[in-house]
Amino acid sequence: LVIFSIYPYPLDLPPLALRSEPPVVGDFVIMVGCDRNRGEPTSWDPNGEAFPPPELEGWTWGPDRNKVWGTNNVDGFPGSKILGTVAFYTSFDDDEIFPEAQVTAGDSGGALFIVSGTTVELAGLLYAEAASPGQPEDTSLFSNLSLAARIDFYYDDIQTAMALPEPQYGLLWGLIALIV
């Protein structure tokens, strides 16, 4: 994760609210990313033709990438770090909200906002998809998970980094001159 400062701060841009409390299962979220467009409907049978469980429905990934957004709900918390990150997840279902969002390749670093009434807070950063073992590539199927790093867990570190003073450019140029 990289934090950077916009300086000078745009006066007409309100500050981004960071969530300092853990998400709650069922929280309504808006996910924003730069991923693949939805392609054609598809299905896949994870158990093979000999077994009766139903196929998983979903979509193939389209060829184009765009800034996209969608909605979902917080569904749970992994019991341990996933890829070294404290996270929460949403589940891609067909029985909740439309358009329900699911991460795809290219969404890493995208924003996940929790919306409650008129309050909107950055609660997570998208970083991974959890697909079924053997799932065909470039598909999003119902039951896939979207993982987001928990802003509340990293909140104190973020606040500390944001409180650091702006670099003094004269000193910076002096250090660059010493290196050259």
Side-chain angles (χ1 to χ4, degrees):
L1 175 65
V2 175
I3 298 174
F4 62 92
S5 175
I6 299 172
Y7 185 81
Y9 191 83
L11 297 177
D12 60 342
L13 187 63
L16 178 62
L18 301 179
R19 186 165 179 101
S20 61
E21 298 295 322
V24 175
V25 171
D27 278 343
F28 178 76
V29 303
I30 296 174
M31 299 162 58
V32 181
C34 187
D35 69 0
R36 308 286 290 276
N37 289 335
R38 182 178 287 187
E40 296 297 318
T42 190
S43 62
W44 173 66
D45 187 349
N47 301 306
E49 295 178 15
F51 297 98
E55 294 181 339
L56 296 173
E57 303 290 324
W59 283 268
T60 59
W61 297 352
D64 299 324
R65 292 185 184 276
N66 289 302
K67 292 179 186 173
V68 295
W69 67 274
T71 59
N72 209 317
N73 293 93
V74 173
D75 281 306
F77 303 86
S80 61
K81 290 183 177 180
I82 303 293
L83 300 173
T85 304
V86 175
F88 64 99
Y89 61 85
T90 64
S91 178
F92 189 46
D93 304 310
D94 66 351
D95 59 352
E96 289 184 16
I97 327 166
F98 188 82
E100 188 161 287
Q102 170 63 25
V103 301
T104 67
D107 277 334
S108 293
L112 185 146
F113 297 96
I114 288 182
V115 180
S116 178
T118 59
T119 303
V120 178
E121 297 174 306
L122 180 64
L125 292 180
L126 304 173
Y127 77 98
E129 170 193 19
S132 298
Q135 178 176 321
E137 289 188 26
D138 297 343
T139 61
S140 290
L141 302 174
F142 297 130
S143 79
N144 290 168
L145 304 178
S146 296
L147 294 163
R150 285 179 41 193
I151 293 294
D152 69 284
F153 183 82
Y154 300 99
Y155 183 84
D156 290 340
D157 293 328
I158 293 168
Q159 293 300 319
T160 299
M162 289 173 40
L164 294 174
E166 291 295 322
Q168 300 300 314
Y169 294 105
L171 176 62
L172 179 64
W173 289 118
L175 290 174
I176 291 171
L178 287 175
I179 294 171
V180 177

